[in-house]
Amino acid sequence: MKIVAHSDHAGVELRLEMIEQARELGHHVDDLGPALGEKVDYPYAGAVVGHKVASGEYDLGILVCGTGVGISLAANKVAGARAVVCSEPYTARLSRQHNASNIVAVGERVVGPGEARMIVEAFLSTEPAGGRHAQRVEMLKALDDPSIDLEQLRQMGPACAG
């Protein structure tokens, strides 16, 4: 899989750890930085990865900031990006299975290196489940259009199908 990774200045060390784990698992990872000591704002880093993943240039993305929250919010502003904040592997696995998440965000001030490695492994080794979850992912995609009619959205869901 082709993966892109980025962080702000608060997430450099953990980003490097996560990249190493992804590469050990056999994935190609492009590291967009920053280097230790460089300053990068999390909205920029999140937006860059959001665009690169949503455009199809990369299959998946890895983001790291202090908590994972701000950088994921920035990525999720990009239509087609589905970033999830994870502090343990279970959420990483289920976000891929149920939500077809395409970006994982982690907080260096929240998660240690060992846990981050487990999150990467869970995220990268899990595929979207399809089935009823695929219908809900389509609903998420529909939300990229701010003019979506909410009743139309409700009717798209499997809860209304039966």
Side-chain angles (χ1 to χ4, degrees):
M1 237 183 282
K2 192 173 175 187
I3 299 162
V4 61
H6 208 341
S7 71
D8 71 358
H9 49 274
V12 174
E13 291 182 26
L14 196 62
R15 185 193 80 244
L16 295 173
E17 190 76 32
M18 293 173 77
I19 289 169
E20 182 178 308
Q21 176 67 6
R23 287 177 176 157
E24 287 174 8
L25 294 169
H27 299 284
H28 171 86
V29 183
D30 285 337
D31 182 5
L32 303 184
L36 276 171
E38 273 186 85
K39 298 285 186 190
V40 171
D41 295 309
Y42 66 82
Y44 173 76
V48 167
V49 169
H51 280 282
K52 289 184 176 291
V53 172
S55 73
E57 184 180 348
Y58 290 88
D59 301 309
L60 298 172
I62 295 172
L63 290 169
V64 186
C65 68
T67 63
V69 174
I71 206 162
S72 71
L73 291 173
N76 282 327
K77 292 287 188 179
V78 178
R82 290 181 304 283
V84 61
V85 181
C86 293
S87 57
E88 33 65 36
Y90 183 76
T91 301
R93 183 173 293 108
L94 260 60
S95 75
R96 286 285 293 145
Q97 284 179 342
H98 295 188
N99 313 116
S101 295
N102 50 19
I103 300 168
V104 64
V106 177
E108 186 166 319
R109 296 176 184 144
V110 179
V111 174
E115 194 78 10
R117 284 178 160 270
M118 290 188 287
I119 290 167
V120 168
E121 184 169 358
F123 191 78
L124 298 182
S125 67
T126 305
E127 292 295 325
R132 72 182 189 278
H133 302 295
Q135 288 176 276
R136 292 177 178 136
V137 171
E138 289 305 311
M139 292 172 75
L140 290 172
K141 290 177 183 178
L143 288 169
D144 288 338
D145 177 359
S147 67
I148 182 81
D149 176 73
L150 295 180
E151 180 56 27
Q152 180 186 5
L153 180 69
R154 187 178 75 78
Q155 293 297 323
M156 290 174 69
C160 287

